[in-house]
Structures are given as structure tokens and as C-alpha cells.
Amino acid sequence: MRILVIGGGGREHALVWKLRQSPHADRVFCAPGNAGTGEIAENVQIPVSDLKALITFAKENHVDLTVVGPDDPLAAGIVDLFAGEKLRAFGPHQSAARIESSKIFAKELMRRQKIPTAEARIFTESAEALHCCNSSKFPVVIKADGLALGKGVVIAPNIATARSTIEEMMIRRSFGEAGRRIVIEEFLQGTECSLHALVDGKNYLLLESARDHKRALDGDQGPNTGGMGAFSPANNWNSELQYRCEMDILQPLLRGLLNKGITFRGLLYPGLIITTDGPRVLEFNCRFGDPETQVLLPRLKSDLLPLLEATIDGTIDQCAIEWESRAAVTIVLASGGYPGKYEPGKSISGLDEAAKLEEVQIFHAGTKRHCNEVKTAGGRVVAVTALGSTLKAARARAYEAVSRIHFENCHYRRDIALNAVAANVTE
Ligand code: AMP
């Protein structure tokens, strides 16, 4: 089979790495890819936003399966366009991708299906949203309706921040159309967990649990990022929670979508918060998580390719999935300044030395090959994943690998999975 993976981050490197291992994979392309995907697949210089060029490439190169990594092309309807050309693509159609691309669509669906989530109010007028702040209990969470490059969620600790956020989103339109409508919701307390499910329209197959670290700095301080690290399995997850999530979240969601005539086929990833009242949905994503993919796929023993195909074909109920019992930890190395301004073009050394460690996998994100050198080319630069018989062992190995990689102004968190390891007295 000829496979095209769309995207150029750590998630896509992990997808390419895993799909490449399939005995059914003959050629793997990645558009646009990064220095890491370029080593194991054929990079194609087409940006993820150029849907027409991607279709032309897939047709001309007889691509059998396209796997869409990021949310934006899904929201833009890439899978519908591919289907229109009789090209097979993994990911939801545009109507189903709204579960991620519109927080209001997701919230209304959750309300209708009685899916546990934060109490929320929806606003289309800035004056009403500003007025609502006067009677709010702080902190509140303010969310732009549309996709805003991961920056559309603000936790406002007081009325002044809430007002300036509303003005920024609704009046100054910092995120364009995405902030035309907003959601203001109650701040929930608890620990977060990422659930991934392959959904074939009717049935689903759960992947292993994972937890990510969203804040830039140790101790969960600093601004939100795309994700600074992850570990799997999640230490706040158990079979009872899984049962509740299936009964109270996944099944009613799929029923609700089908009632609206929407078939979701692809990867559904609810971001959950485990509160004292049980799990609640913070958001729905319609694609693999980043960096969750980098921590999950090294634990996946099964061939990923038939699972993706079964998801498209509506036969996921006939599939089994096998996992490593060992734990995994992923640490993201970022450019200094990320998620704010940073300087790209820094030479990266030590990647080969780090990769020599057993049970370590390095997934590139913002990297570019320049002559014989790998240079930084993005905020998140590489993700280092290690497996271990315990979370503690995986963590130690991952940090050992990280210590071998260097670039100017490299920044990473020192406390990925630390609380989980400290809490587990048996380790
Ligand atoms: P989202 O994109 O909706 O997942 O939001 C990004 C991050 O904001 C989440 O991972 C949480 O850390 C935080 N967040 C979102 N909604 C809430 C909420 N209602 N209560 C507390 N934290 C939240």
C-alpha cells in the first residue's frame, strides 16, 4: 500500500514511524513532514492547507490511504474532498469534525445527550458576555467557538481578565471568525486524562489511556502549550472510569451524532477531567493527540494500518488491539520562548547518541534538515519517548535520552510524570 500522512509535527512522525512497520506498507509519504519523517519516509513539500495540491499528489502517486494528522484540514473538509475523488482518507468528514471545530456545536450536543461537562453559557453578543461577568463566580473559562491554534481557551481568574479576554476575542477578533461566538463555562477542578477511541460510525475501540502536560513550566505553571510531555497509562484511570466514560460519554455522543445524521469515522479523543463527581468532558478532538500519539504508539503492539482501515470500513468491532504492558513517558524539547516568540534555525546535536539508548524513540516535530545538519524549525522541536517496566524506569530513561540532545535555548519540563511516579509507592 501507498500511504500519505498529512502534517509535519511529532504526532505525524509517530504515525509515519508506526505505519512504516506495517508489512502492508510499501511506500509512505509525509506532507510536509520534518527532518525525522524525511529519514523514514518520503517528504512531500505541500503545506497541510493546500488541499487541492494534496488531492493532486494522492491521485498522481496512486496513494491508497491518506491519514490526516491535524485538525485544520479536517475542519476544512479534506476527507469530503478526498472522498469526492474516490480517495480513501482516515479522519472524520467536515460535519463530524465540527465536534472539535465548534465548541458551541460540541456543547449543545453534550447538553442534548446529557453528557457530563462544565455548565456553560453561549454568547454571540459581546455586550451580553461582558454583562455576564458581573455575576460570575471566578475563575471562569472563556472559549472561542472555533479553532484558534490552541490559544482559544483562557482561564480568567478575575473580572478584569475576563473582560479583556472577551474584548480580545469578540471585539478585536484576535482569532478572526473563531472568536465571533464564545462559550463561558464553570471552572472544573480535577485531574485531566486523554482518551482515544477509533470510531467507525457505530462502534468504537478504545486505545490505552494517557495524560499530557499542557503548561509550559514545571509545577504546571506558565502559559498553556500544545503539550510539553505525556505518559501512559494514566495514573488517574481505571476500569470503572472507563465504563462510565463509555456509558455516559462515548455511547450517548455517537447516538447524538447519528440522530443528527452525522457519521463519525476516525479518531475521537475526548479531553476529560476527573472531578469528585466523576469524569466530565472538557473538549472533544477529532484526531490523534499530540504528544499523546508519541506516547501511545510505542506501546501499541498491533499493526496500526488494519485498525485505521477497519475504522474507515465500519468493521472496528471485529478488531482486537494488543498493548505493551510497559509504561511510556514522552518529553517535549521546545525552543526557548515557546509558546511565545522563539528563534528557529538552531543546530541540534546528540540526536543519534540519544537514539542509541534502548527502548527510546525520538519523534521530530519542528525540525528541518539543512545540508547535513538538523536544525530547529518550530516551537516544539522533538519529543523523546522511552518505555520502561515501570513509569519510573521509563521516565529515567527518557530524561537520560533528553540529556544527550542539545540546541541553543532548549527548554523542557523537568517534572513530566513526576507526580505520578511519586504517588506510586510501589515503584
Ligand atoms: P480545551 O482546549 O477546551 O481542552 O482547553 C484547554 C485546557 O484548558 C484544558 O486541557 C484544561 O486544562 C483547561 N480547561 C478547559 N476547560 C476547562 C474547565 N471548564 N475547567 C478547568 N479547566 C479547563
Side-chain angles (χ1 to χ4, degrees), residues 321-373:
I321 191 162
E322 216 190 324
W323 293 96
E324 268 286 347
S325 58
R326 287 179 298 170
V329 172
T330 292
I331 296 153
V332 170
L333 279 68
S335 297
Y338 171 79
K341 275 207 179 99
Y342 57 84
E343 234 179 82
K346 309 289 183 197
S347 298
I348 309 173
S349 64
L351 289 168
D352 292 342
E353 286 74 11
K356 275 183 199 145
L357 283 169
E358 268 178 39
E359 311 289 11
V360 165
Q361 203 55 52
I362 293 166
F363 297 117
H364 290 226
T367 68
K368 246 190 190 148
R369 186 165 283 281
H370 199 76
C371 300
N372 255 349
E373 259 194 303

Coordinates of all heavy atoms in Angstrom, one line a residue, residues 321-373:
I321 N -7.0 -5.4 19.7 CA -5.8 -4.5 19.8 C -4.9 -4.9 21.0 O -5.4 -5.3 22.0 CB -6.3 -3.0 20.0 CG1 -5.1 -2.0 19.8 CG2 -7.0 -2.8 21.3 CD1 -5.6 -0.6 19.5
E322 N -3.6 -5.0 20.7 CA -2.7 -5.5 21.7 C -1.7 -4.4 22.2 O -1.2 -3.7 21.3 CB -1.9 -6.7 21.1 CG -1.6 -7.8 22.1 CD -0.7 -8.8 21.5 OE1 -0.7 -9.1 20.3 OE2 0.2 -9.3 22.3
W323 N -1.5 -4.3 23.5 CA -0.7 -3.3 24.0 C 0.5 -3.9 24.8 O 0.4 -4.9 25.4 CB -1.5 -2.4 25.0 CG -2.5 -1.6 24.3 CD1 -3.9 -1.9 24.1 CD2 -2.4 -0.4 23.6 NE1 -4.5 -1.0 23.4 CE2 -3.6 0.0 23.0 CE3 -1.2 0.5 23.4 CZ2 -3.8 1.2 22.3 CZ3 -1.4 1.6 22.6 CH2 -2.7 2.0 22.1
E324 N 1.6 -3.1 24.8 CA 2.7 -3.3 25.7 C 2.2 -3.1 27.1 O 1.5 -2.2 27.4 CB 3.7 -2.2 25.5 CG 4.7 -2.4 24.5 CD 5.8 -3.3 25.0 OE1 5.8 -3.6 26.2 OE2 6.6 -3.7 24.2
S325 N 2.6 -4.0 28.0 CA 2.2 -3.7 29.4 C 3.2 -2.7 30.0 O 2.9 -2.0 31.0 CB 2.3 -5.0 30.3 OG 3.6 -5.5 30.2
R326 N 4.3 -2.5 29.4 CA 5.3 -1.5 29.9 C 4.7 -0.1 29.7 O 3.9 0.2 28.9 CB 6.6 -1.6 29.1 CG 7.4 -2.8 29.5 CD 8.7 -3.0 28.8 NE 8.5 -3.1 27.4 CZ 9.4 -3.0 26.5 NH1 10.7 -2.8 26.9 NH2 9.2 -3.2 25.2
A327 N 5.2 0.8 30.6 CA 4.8 2.2 30.6 C 5.6 3.0 29.6 O 6.7 2.6 29.2 CB 4.9 2.8 32.0
A328 N 5.1 4.2 29.3 CA 5.9 5.1 28.4 C 5.8 6.5 28.9 O 4.8 6.9 29.4 CB 5.4 5.0 26.9
V329 N 6.9 7.2 28.7 CA 7.0 8.6 29.0 C 7.5 9.4 27.8 O 8.5 8.9 27.2 CB 7.9 8.9 30.3 CG1 8.1 10.4 30.5 CG2 7.3 8.2 31.5
T330 N 6.9 10.5 27.5 CA 7.4 11.4 26.4 C 7.7 12.7 26.9 O 6.9 13.3 27.7 CB 6.2 11.5 25.3 OG1 6.0 10.3 24.7 CG2 6.6 12.5 24.3
I331 N 8.8 13.2 26.6 CA 9.2 14.6 27.0 C 9.5 15.4 25.7 O 10.2 15.0 24.8 CB 10.5 14.5 27.8 CG1 10.3 13.7 29.1 CG2 11.0 15.9 28.2 CD1 11.5 13.1 29.7
V332 N 8.9 16.6 25.7 CA 9.0 17.5 24.6 C 10.1 18.5 24.8 O 10.1 19.1 25.9 CB 7.6 18.2 24.3 CG1 7.8 19.3 23.3 CG2 6.6 17.2 23.8
L333 N 11.0 18.6 23.8 CA 12.0 19.7 23.9 C 11.6 20.8 23.0 O 11.2 20.6 21.8 CB 13.4 19.1 23.4 CG 14.2 18.3 24.4 CD1 13.5 17.0 24.7 CD2 15.6 18.0 23.8
A334 N 11.5 22.0 23.6 CA 10.9 23.1 22.9 C 12.0 24.2 22.7 O 13.0 24.3 23.4 CB 9.7 23.7 23.6
S335 N 11.7 25.1 21.7 CA 12.5 26.3 21.5 C 12.3 27.3 22.7 O 11.1 27.5 23.1 CB 12.2 27.0 20.2 OG 12.4 26.2 19.1
G336 N 13.4 27.9 23.2 CA 13.2 28.9 24.3 C 12.2 30.0 23.8 O 12.4 30.5 22.7
G337 N 11.3 30.3 24.7 CA 10.3 31.3 24.3 C 9.0 30.7 24.0 O 7.9 31.4 24.2
Y338 N 8.9 29.5 23.5 CA 7.7 28.8 23.1 C 6.8 28.7 24.4 O 7.3 28.5 25.5 CB 8.0 27.4 22.6 CG 6.7 26.6 22.4 CD1 5.9 26.8 21.3 CD2 6.4 25.6 23.4 CE1 4.7 26.0 21.2 CE2 5.2 24.8 23.2 CZ 4.4 25.0 22.1 OH 3.3 24.3 22.0
P339 N 5.5 29.0 24.4 CA 4.6 29.2 23.2 C 4.6 30.6 22.7 O 3.8 30.9 21.8 CB 3.3 28.7 23.8 CG 3.3 29.2 25.2 CD 4.7 29.0 25.6
G340 N 5.4 31.5 23.2 CA 5.5 32.8 22.6 C 6.5 32.8 21.5 O 6.7 31.8 20.8
K341 N 7.2 34.0 21.4 CA 8.2 34.1 20.3 C 9.4 33.3 20.5 O 9.9 33.2 21.7 CB 8.6 35.6 20.2 CG 7.6 36.4 19.3 CD 8.4 37.6 18.7 CE 7.4 38.4 17.9 NZ 6.9 39.6 18.6
Y342 N 10.0 32.7 19.5 CA 11.2 31.9 19.6 C 12.0 32.1 18.3 O 11.4 32.5 17.3 CB 10.9 30.5 19.9 CG 10.1 29.8 18.9 CD1 10.6 29.3 17.7 CD2 8.7 29.8 19.0 CE1 9.8 28.8 16.7 CE2 7.9 29.2 18.0 CZ 8.4 28.7 16.9 OH 7.6 28.2 15.9
E343 N 13.3 31.7 18.4 CA 14.1 31.9 17.2 C 14.4 30.5 16.6 O 15.0 29.6 17.3 CB 15.5 32.4 17.6 CG 15.9 33.7 16.9 CD 17.2 34.2 17.4 OE1 18.3 33.6 17.0 OE2 17.2 35.1 18.3
P344 N 14.0 30.3 15.4 CA 14.3 28.9 14.8 C 15.8 28.9 14.2 O 16.5 29.9 14.3 CB 13.3 28.9 13.6 CG 13.0 30.3 13.3 CD 13.3 31.1 14.5
G345 N 16.1 27.8 13.6 CA 17.4 27.7 12.9 C 18.6 27.3 13.8 O 19.8 27.5 13.4
K346 N 18.3 26.8 15.0 CA 19.4 26.4 15.9 C 19.8 25.0 15.5 O 19.0 24.1 15.3 CB 18.9 26.4 17.3 CG 18.3 27.7 17.8 CD 19.3 28.8 17.9 CE 18.6 30.1 18.4 NZ 19.5 31.3 18.2
S347 N 21.1 24.7 15.5 CA 21.6 23.4 15.2 C 21.3 22.4 16.4 O 21.6 22.8 17.5 CB 23.1 23.4 15.0 OG 23.4 24.2 13.9
I348 N 20.9 21.2 16.1 CA 20.6 20.2 17.1 C 21.6 19.2 17.1 O 21.9 18.6 16.0 CB 19.2 19.6 16.8 CG1 18.1 20.7 16.6 CG2 18.8 18.7 18.0 CD1 16.8 20.1 16.2
S349 N 22.2 18.9 18.2 CA 23.2 17.8 18.3 C 22.8 16.8 19.3 O 21.9 17.0 20.1 CB 24.6 18.4 18.8 OG 24.5 18.9 20.1
G350 N 23.3 15.6 19.1 CA 23.1 14.5 20.1 C 21.9 13.6 19.8 O 21.6 12.7 20.6
L351 N 21.2 13.9 18.6 CA 20.0 13.0 18.3 C 20.4 11.6 18.2 O 19.7 10.7 18.7 CB 19.3 13.5 17.1 CG 18.6 14.9 17.2 CD1 18.2 15.5 15.8 CD2 17.4 14.7 18.1
D352 N 21.5 11.3 17.5 CA 22.0 9.9 17.3 C 22.4 9.3 18.6 O 22.0 8.1 18.8 CB 23.1 9.9 16.3 CG 22.7 10.3 14.9 OD1 21.5 10.3 14.7 OD2 23.6 10.6 14.1
E353 N 23.1 10.0 19.4 CA 23.5 9.5 20.7 C 22.3 9.1 21.6 O 22.2 8.1 22.2 CB 24.4 10.5 21.5 CG 25.8 10.7 21.0 CD 25.8 11.4 19.7 OE1 24.8 12.0 19.3 OE2 26.9 11.4 19.0
A354 N 21.3 10.0 21.5 CA 20.1 9.7 22.3 C 19.3 8.5 21.8 O 18.8 7.6 22.5 CB 19.2 10.9 22.3
A355 N 19.3 8.4 20.5 CA 18.6 7.3 19.8 C 19.2 5.9 20.1 O 18.6 4.9 19.9 CB 18.4 7.5 18.3
K356 N 20.5 5.9 20.4 CA 21.2 4.7 20.7 C 20.7 4.0 22.0 O 20.9 2.8 22.1 CB 22.7 5.0 20.9 CG 23.5 5.0 19.5 CD 25.0 5.2 19.8 CE 25.6 5.7 18.5 NZ 26.7 6.7 18.8
L357 N 20.1 4.7 22.9 CA 19.6 4.1 24.1 C 18.5 3.2 23.8 O 17.6 3.5 22.9 CB 19.1 5.2 25.0 CG 20.1 6.0 25.8 CD1 19.5 7.2 26.5 CD2 20.8 5.2 26.9
E358 N 18.5 2.0 24.5 CA 17.4 1.0 24.2 C 16.1 1.6 24.6 O 16.0 2.3 25.6 CB 17.8 -0.2 25.0 CG 18.6 -1.2 24.1 CD 18.9 -2.4 24.8 OE1 18.1 -2.9 25.6 OE2 20.1 -2.9 24.7
E359 N 15.1 1.1 23.9 CA 13.7 1.5 24.2 C 13.4 3.0 24.2 O 12.5 3.5 24.8 CB 13.3 1.0 25.6 CG 13.6 -0.5 25.9 CD 12.8 -1.5 25.1 OE1 12.0 -1.0 24.2 OE2 12.8 -2.7 25.4
V360 N 14.2 3.7 23.4 CA 14.0 5.1 23.2 C 13.7 5.4 21.8 O 14.3 4.9 20.9 CB 15.3 5.9 23.7 CG1 15.2 7.4 23.2 CG2 15.4 5.9 25.2
Q361 N 12.7 6.2 21.6 CA 12.3 6.6 20.3 C 12.2 8.2 20.2 O 11.6 8.8 21.1 CB 10.9 6.0 20.0 CG 10.6 5.9 18.5 CD 11.6 5.1 17.8 OE1 12.0 4.0 18.2 NE2 12.2 5.7 16.7
I362 N 12.8 8.7 19.2 CA 12.8 10.2 19.1 C 11.9 10.6 17.9 O 12.1 10.1 16.8 CB 14.2 10.7 18.9 CG1 15.0 10.5 20.2 CG2 14.2 12.2 18.6 CD1 16.4 10.6 20.0
F363 N 10.9 11.4 18.3 CA 10.0 11.9 17.2 C 10.2 13.4 17.0 O 10.1 14.2 17.9 CB 8.5 11.6 17.7 CG 8.2 10.2 17.9 CD1 7.9 9.7 19.1 CD2 8.3 9.3 16.8 CE1 7.6 8.3 19.3 CE2 8.0 7.9 16.9 CZ 7.6 7.5 18.2
H364 N 10.5 13.7 15.8 CA 10.8 15.1 15.4 C 9.5 15.8 15.3 O 8.4 15.3 14.9 CB 11.5 15.2 14.1 CG 12.9 14.7 14.1 ND1 13.9 15.4 13.5 CD2 13.5 13.6 14.6 CE1 15.1 14.8 13.7 NE2 14.8 13.7 14.3
A365 N 9.5 17.1 15.6 CA 8.3 18.0 15.4 C 8.8 19.2 14.5 O 8.9 19.0 13.3 CB 7.7 18.4 16.7
G366 N 9.2 20.3 15.2 CA 9.7 21.4 14.4 C 11.2 21.3 14.1 O 12.0 21.9 14.8
T367 N 11.5 20.4 13.1 CA 12.9 20.3 12.7 C 13.0 20.3 11.2 O 12.0 20.0 10.5 CB 13.5 18.9 13.1 OG1 12.9 17.9 12.4 CG2 13.4 18.7 14.6
K368 N 14.2 20.7 10.7 CA 14.4 20.8 9.2 C 15.8 20.3 9.0 O 16.7 20.7 9.8 CB 14.3 22.2 8.8 CG 13.2 22.5 7.8 CD 13.2 23.8 7.2 CE 11.9 24.0 6.5 NZ 11.5 25.4 6.5
R369 N 16.0 19.6 7.9 CA 17.4 19.2 7.6 C 18.0 20.3 6.7 O 17.4 20.7 5.7 CB 17.4 17.9 6.8 CG 18.8 17.3 6.6 CD 18.8 15.9 6.2 NE 18.6 15.0 7.3 CZ 19.6 14.7 8.2 NH1 20.8 15.1 8.0 NH2 19.3 13.9 9.2
H370 N 19.2 20.7 7.1 CA 19.8 21.8 6.3 C 21.2 21.3 6.0 O 22.1 21.2 6.9 CB 19.9 23.1 7.2 CG 20.1 24.3 6.4 ND1 19.1 24.9 5.7 CD2 21.2 25.1 6.3 CE1 19.6 26.0 5.1 NE2 20.9 26.1 5.5
C371 N 21.5 21.0 4.7 CA 22.7 20.3 4.4 C 22.8 19.0 5.2 O 21.9 18.3 5.2 CB 24.0 21.2 4.5 SG 23.8 22.7 3.5
N372 N 23.9 18.9 6.0 CA 24.0 17.7 6.8 C 23.6 17.8 8.3 O 23.9 17.0 9.1 CB 25.4 17.2 6.7 CG 25.5 15.9 5.8 OD1 24.4 15.4 5.4 ND2 26.7 15.5 5.5
E373 N 22.9 18.9 8.5 CA 22.6 19.3 9.9 C 21.1 19.3 10.1 O 20.3 19.7 9.2 CB 23.1 20.7 10.2 CG 24.4 20.7 11.0 CD 24.6 22.1 11.5 OE1 24.7 23.0 10.7 OE2 24.7 22.2 12.7

